[in-house]
Amino acid sequence: MMKKKFIGTIAVLMLSMVCSLPVMAVTEGYNWTFYSDGPEDDLSTNPGKKNDTEQYYYLTINQGNISSSNIFGARIRKADNVAVSPYLIHTSFEYSKPYAYSTYVNKTDTYYMRGKKDDTSTTSVALRVSGKVTY
């Protein structure tokens, strides 16, 4: 009897451990590259799908000459050109950094990122940045 109780307790503990594992959504990231001579160069990524319900997008900037004087600004838009995130500026590399959307986004819609060399950049050097965005 004691052995059955012990096995039952172990089984319940194992089941509770398995059930408490986090479930991660399968997401797809989209690589991008921007080359901009000045703030008038407003460039967009190719469109991509969001395949989860999380209300964050993740941005990686891992190549380029981004700096506090060569600033990259970007926002996420729906395919119909409606902005769904605030315009944010970036001055350094970042890796899979989460940003909240400014409005509810559906997983069935298509999105793209629009970016540019920000107006507050103080250098005339062309901005070249590359990375990945996950909607």
Side-chain angles (χ1 to χ4, degrees):
M1 188 66 165
M2 194 70 137
K3 189 174 183 178
K4 284 184 183 180
K5 247 187 195 180
F6 179 73
I7 292 173
T9 302
I10 296 296
V12 167
L13 287 173
M14 289 178 66
L15 183 61
S16 69
M17 286 174 40
V18 169
C19 291
S20 66
L21 290 175
V23 177
M24 303 293 283
V26 177
T27 58
E28 182 173 354
Y30 300 93
N31 293 324
W32 54 269
T33 299
F34 284 104
Y35 176 85
S36 177
D37 285 328
E40 66 283 350
D41 292 339
D42 195 356
L43 307 166
S44 299
T45 62
N46 290 326
K49 290 284 190 186
K50 178 169 182 58
N51 58 0
D52 64 16
T53 57
E54 186 177 27
Q55 296 300 297
Y56 291 88
Y57 66 97
Y58 295 83
L59 184 63
T60 295
I61 301 171
N62 57 9
Q63 289 183 346
N65 61 348
I66 191 171
S67 69
S68 60
S69 61
N70 210 3
I71 302 166
F72 176 64
R75 71 166 36 112
I76 306 299
R77 292 182 175 272
K78 285 175 54 175
D80 61 3
N81 205 29
V82 172
V84 294
S85 77
Y87 177 81
L88 298 173
I89 59 171
H90 309 275
T91 58
S92 62
F93 291 167
E94 48 192 61
Y95 298 92
S96 213
K97 187 170 180 181
Y99 292 98
Y101 290 105
S102 56
T103 185
Y104 181 79
V105 294
N106 294 310
K107 76 179 226 172
T108 56
D109 289 334
T110 300
Y111 302 91
Y112 67 94
M113 182 174 66
R114 182 175 287 167
K116 68 176 189 168
K117 178 173 179 161
D118 190 73
D119 299 344
T120 59
S121 294
T122 57
T123 181
S124 59
V125 174
L127 175 66
R128 294 177 188 89
V129 289
S130 298
K132 184 177 185 178
V133 62
T134 303
Y135 307 112

